Amino acid sequence: MRKRALFSSLVAVAVVGAAPLPAVAQPSGDTTVTFTVSTSNLTIEVPSSRSLGSGFPGTTISGQLGTVKVVDQRAAANAVWTATVVATQFDTGTDQETEVILPNLVDYWSGPATATTGNGTFVPGQPTRADRRSLEQPRVAFSKTSGSGNNSASWNPTLEITIPQDAVGGLYSGTVTHSVS
C-alpha cells in the first residue's frame, strides 16, 4: 500500500508541476478595415462674359456663349443632376421701353455635349436650333439622368436674340444664369 501512496503522490506532483500546454492556433482570423471615399460638390462653371457682336433693329443676332461645364464630385450611387438656364432683360442701363429687350426675345439651345466623363446618360436640353427655347423662365439646359460616381459634362450653348424694330441704339447687357442641382 505504501507503493501505491507513493505512486499517487508522484503523479500528483507531476500533474501540478507540469508546464502549461501552448494555446491552439485558430485556422483563420478577421481584421475589420475601414476607409472613407471622399466626396466633394456639384458645381457649374460658366464663361464670365461674352459679346454677341451687333445687329440692327428688326434683326436677330446669335452666338455661342462658350463652354458651360457641370462637375459632379459627390461620388453618389445615383449621380443625377439637372442644369437650368434663365435670362434677365437686356437693356442699356435704363428702363425706357425702347431700350429694353425682354427675355422672351432671347432664345437658347444647349447643343450636344462637347465632352463627358463618368458613366450614365447625359441629355442635352435643346440638342438643335429647332429645339431652342426662350429664357423668360428657367429651362433645362442639360441633365444627367442615370449613372453613379463622379462625372462631368460640357456644352457650348447658343443664344439668339431678336432685336425689336423700335429698339434704340446702344450697348445692351443682361445676365444669363446657369445653375445645377
Side-chain angles (χ1 to χ4, degrees):
M1 211 133 141
R2 215 169 190 220
K3 282 184 180 182
R4 201 168 161 197
L6 181 59
F7 178 72
S8 296
S9 296
L10 288 176
V11 170
V13 170
V15 171
V16 171
L21 296 174
V24 176
Q26 296 295 321
S28 66
D30 296 331
T31 302
T32 301
V33 177
T34 63
F35 61 92
T36 301
V37 174
S38 298
T39 64
S40 189
N41 297 318
L42 176 64
T43 60
I44 193 164
E45 302 166 7
V46 300
S48 60
S49 66
R50 180 69 71 201
S51 173
L52 296 182
S54 62
F56 290 103
T59 66
T60 300
I61 60 171
S62 68
Q64 290 186 298
L65 287 181
T67 300
V68 175
K69 182 177 184 179
V70 170
V71 178
D72 183 356
Q73 295 180 317
R74 298 172 297 169
N78 187 22
V80 298
W81 47 260
T82 299
T84 58
V85 60
V86 68
T88 64
Q89 70 182 23
F90 287 73
D91 59 47
T92 62
T94 70
D95 283 331
Q96 297 297 319
E97 188 176 313
T98 56
E99 296 182 48
V100 172
I101 298 175
L102 297 174
N104 65 317
L105 298 174
V106 179
D107 288 336
Y108 175 99
W109 69 94
S110 61
T114 56
T116 62
T117 63
N119 66 48
T121 304
F122 298 90
V123 181
Q126 308 78 27
T128 68
R129 182 178 184 274
D131 302 310
R132 69 190 183 278
R133 302 293 305 266
S134 63
L135 293 182
E136 76 273 9
Q137 64 185 34
R139 306 291 186 180
V140 172
F142 225 92
S143 60
K144 183 169 182 282
T145 59
S146 68
S148 62
N150 290 347
N151 62 85
S152 67
S154 300
W155 65 97
N156 191 357
T158 301
L159 280 187
E160 189 172 88
I161 301 174
T162 301
I163 303 170
Q165 188 64 43
D166 63 348
V168 171
L171 178 63
Y172 287 72
S173 66
T175 303
V176 174
T177 301
H178 285 89
S179 56
V180 66
S181 60

